[in-house]
Amino acid sequence: MKLPIKLSKKICVAAAVALTSTTVMADDDALSALAIKKAGFTLEQAIEKVHNTYPGQITELELDDYRGQAVYEVDVVNLAQEQKHKLKLSLADGEMLKNESSKLSILGVSKLDEDERIALEQLAESELSLQQTVAMLNSKYQAQVIEFELENEKGITFYKFKLLGEQGKQRVIVDVASGETIPVLKH
């Protein structure tokens, strides 16, 4: 069976885009690993600095670029004050390079969906230490945490961690309520 030329071209373009995006992601992971290796300010120090300076919960942390340098981009949400901060801290020395602050509601309508609100409430009730969890994951998996995000799915609130090490990229979820770690299986 012969495919029409237009369909064949679309399949070729889709395959090229998929291959290119996979290569770009691998390059980004390699650069993230190098940036962490060269960092003068660790992810654990970033978490501590944010916890000591901004009340609320860290909902997301990832490596990013800002004005030509590597940064930890950290989202902090404070439900009590209905406030969200998006912070950029230098990997070199922990300097606060940017702080965007916003309200969690506009004209009485919340910007958070129900799952986000539940996740934040359950995290506030838990005894999970983000710093201890990151240190444990780094040690257990012989890898560095390079990003994480708070989520709530199927009635479970968890952090989804991305780690990089000699064996490549790994994903692990940590149940906020129990502290249990579960490796994400690769397909």
Side-chain angles (χ1 to χ4, degrees):
M1 181 172 114
K2 198 169 183 182
L3 291 174
I5 292 176
K6 282 187 176 184
L7 184 58
S8 295
K9 286 182 180 180
K10 286 180 181 179
I11 291 171
C12 288
V13 169
V17 168
L19 181 60
T20 301
S21 66
T22 301
T23 302
V24 168
M25 287 171 43
D27 288 351
D28 189 50
D29 289 344
L31 289 172
S32 293
L34 185 58
I36 286 175
K37 187 176 183 178
K38 291 182 169 191
F41 192 72
T42 68
L43 187 128
E44 291 92 334
Q45 290 171 314
I47 292 168
E48 182 178 357
K49 180 174 183 168
V50 169
H51 273 301
N52 291 338
T53 310
Y54 296 91
Q57 286 95 14
I58 296 176
T59 59
E60 188 173 352
L61 185 144
E62 64 182 327
L63 293 177
D64 203 359
D65 295 312
Y66 181 70
R67 296 188 176 172
Q69 63 181 303
V71 296
Y72 296 111
E73 184 175 284
V74 185
D75 290 353
V76 181
V77 175
N78 185 321
L79 281 178
Q81 296 177 356
E82 289 285 316
Q83 192 87 24
K84 178 178 182 177
H85 294 279
K86 186 175 278 296
L87 313 169
K88 295 188 188 291
L89 291 104
S90 169
L91 262 75
D93 58 9
E95 178 185 353
M96 180 68 63
L97 302 174
K98 188 171 185 179
N99 175 359
E100 292 178 351
S101 192
S102 62
K103 289 288 185 188
L104 291 178
S105 60
I106 297 175
L107 301 172
V109 178
S110 179
K111 293 180 185 177
L112 297 176
D113 65 26
E114 189 64 23
D115 287 337
E116 291 170 318
R117 188 165 295 281
I118 289 169
L120 286 162
E121 289 169 354
Q122 289 181 356
L123 179 59
E125 293 172 5
S126 80
E127 295 181 13
L128 183 79
S129 164
L130 204 44
Q131 290 165 287
Q132 290 175 354
T133 301
V134 167
M136 179 273 300
L137 291 173
N138 288 345
S139 175
K140 180 176 181 177
Y141 292 95
Q142 297 297 300
Q144 291 289 312
V145 170
I146 61 166
E147 66 183 54
F148 58 83
E149 183 174 6
L150 181 68
E151 296 189 15
N152 180 285
E153 293 179 21
K154 298 180 180 169
I156 301 168
T157 297
F158 59 94
Y159 274 108
K160 183 171 33 176
F161 290 89
K162 180 178 175 183
L163 298 94
L164 277 179
E166 293 293 322
Q167 60 279 55
K169 182 172 40 175
Q170 295 177 285
R171 295 201 184 269
V172 176
I173 62 173
V174 176
D175 184 330
V176 166
S178 69
E180 180 181 5
T181 63
I182 302 150
V184 176
L185 301 175
K186 296 178 184 177
H187 299 281

